Amino acid sequence: MIAYAWAPFDNVFFGCGILFGGIAVFLLLLTAWFNSILPSFPEPPSGLDVPTSFSPISRWVWGKKWLLQGRNLLIKAHAPRQSYMLPTPKNYCVFISNEQNIKEFASNPDFSLNQAYDDLFSYKHNKLYHDQQESALINQQYYFRVLREGLTTKLAGLYPYMYETLVKEMDGHISRKSEVNGWKSIHYYPFLEYVTVSMIGPIFWGQPLWDVPEFQDAARRFPAQYFKFGEIVQHVPKITIPLVKYAVTGGNKYRNVLIKHLLPIIRKQLSEEAKQEKTGDESPFCDIMQDAIRMVRGKAYWTPERVILLLESLWRAGGHSVPMTIAHIVNSLCEHPEYFEPLREELQQHQDMDFKTLESLPLANSFMKEVIRTRPLDSASTRRKAMKTHTFQNGPHVPAGNIVCIPSLSIMNDASIYPNPQVFDGFRFVTANDAGMVNESPDMKGMSKVTDVNLKFPFWGYGKEACPGRFFASIEMKIVMAILVSRYDFKLAKPETPTSWSWRTIAVPRRDSVLLIRERSGE
């Protein structure tokens, strides 16, 4: 009998077994990861005016292109007054620009604003979040009642504080900069972000809480950190989300600071409000937080944790969108300096610039509205998630889980609505009754206010659910523009360099763009 030495063979087969086993495990993990980034899409919409189909791979590719080129993809895909769709990383987005569809969709309970943004920024991965059944109640009780019935009706009284605070913050910030050849340099988007948040912070949270350094620092940093996490978490495997969240948010650092300070205050105020009897008298405005607590008094649903979550959601929106839009206004003024003098003359005609006067200035209204028309912060508005499958009366069928939007940028650049839409006309919306000027397009008559909501200007949304905070945002932007135009000369340090970049459908101002600014002589 021949004796074989099996040891070498054992080593070979054992080693190969480990190798092949490792490869198998790696492939399984790779497959699991790929499946995690290839989300389980809802059923595709059908019955669209512009029918399109996507394979799973092409859908995934288009979803990634959407993140980097969404604004351009939407412009290229637009079909006036027709419905069409594009894939996003998580679902399909249906765009409607037909008047009948928009009216049917705008206030339909089958579609949820909050769930659209909860999905977009992955709010559900946070300590506190709203489930789908709570969305309708959030809309009704908070976004609309607090902003529309509370804040908007108090704007005239808040205006002096807003104006004085912004003058103080802007002058103080600019005065600390070094001067070179008569000009001072500032990174103007961070500057605008800082001064506007300095103004809205006390209005939102109350001066005593805003004066707490730890709270103010966390409140300033929280929105940017939250959006950053929401964007990143969409592109990682689900199993890694807790680790990614910890890495991006530092263990939820700033949100935990907010909760630490807010929870005892809100608990105490809710308890005190519950003991007070409701009267017909209107309570004086203290801050948005207290106004919200008054409005939810006696409703068991509104726990302190839910009130915090609701306040957070509004703070995130207000702390980002307004300074971004103001940055676009500054960019447009620098690109079209011929508008400086007419705007200054209009401002100088009014010695006492009160709330009512600033709101009604026709040239300022028109210029701001043209900036929004040509370079809106978001090129899609009225973003809603279909909570139930919905079939529109004239055809589009949208299965549950998909998104429906109004392509606002495309509509506001439709040549059949706006003559020569590619041309920036700062006084496009001025009418003969406003300032003795006649607009070439009679269709623009009666559309001069920035806060107007209609199918030709759907920037703020449409219908009863149009942005309830637009009046506050509008006056905030007007005050900043009025102060800058009347008190300073300014220009871009590098006019040939891009001042914004695109992500999804948003035009984001660059944080490194520099403005050369100086106080006006004789002012």
Side-chain angles (χ1 to χ4, degrees), residues 7-41:
F9 294 98
D10 288 343
N11 291 337
V12 169
F13 284 112
F14 183 71
C16 290
I18 292 177
L19 175 63
F20 289 122
I23 292 174
V25 170
F26 173 76
L27 291 174
L28 285 173
L29 291 174
L30 183 64
T31 301
W33 176 80
F34 192 71
N35 286 335
S36 70
I37 63 172
L38 258 182
S40 178
F41 266 56

Side-chain angles (χ1 to χ4, degrees), residues 33 149 171 198 208 314 322 452:
W33 176 80
E149 298 177 23
D171 286 355
S198 296
L314 184 59
V322 170
D452 287 340

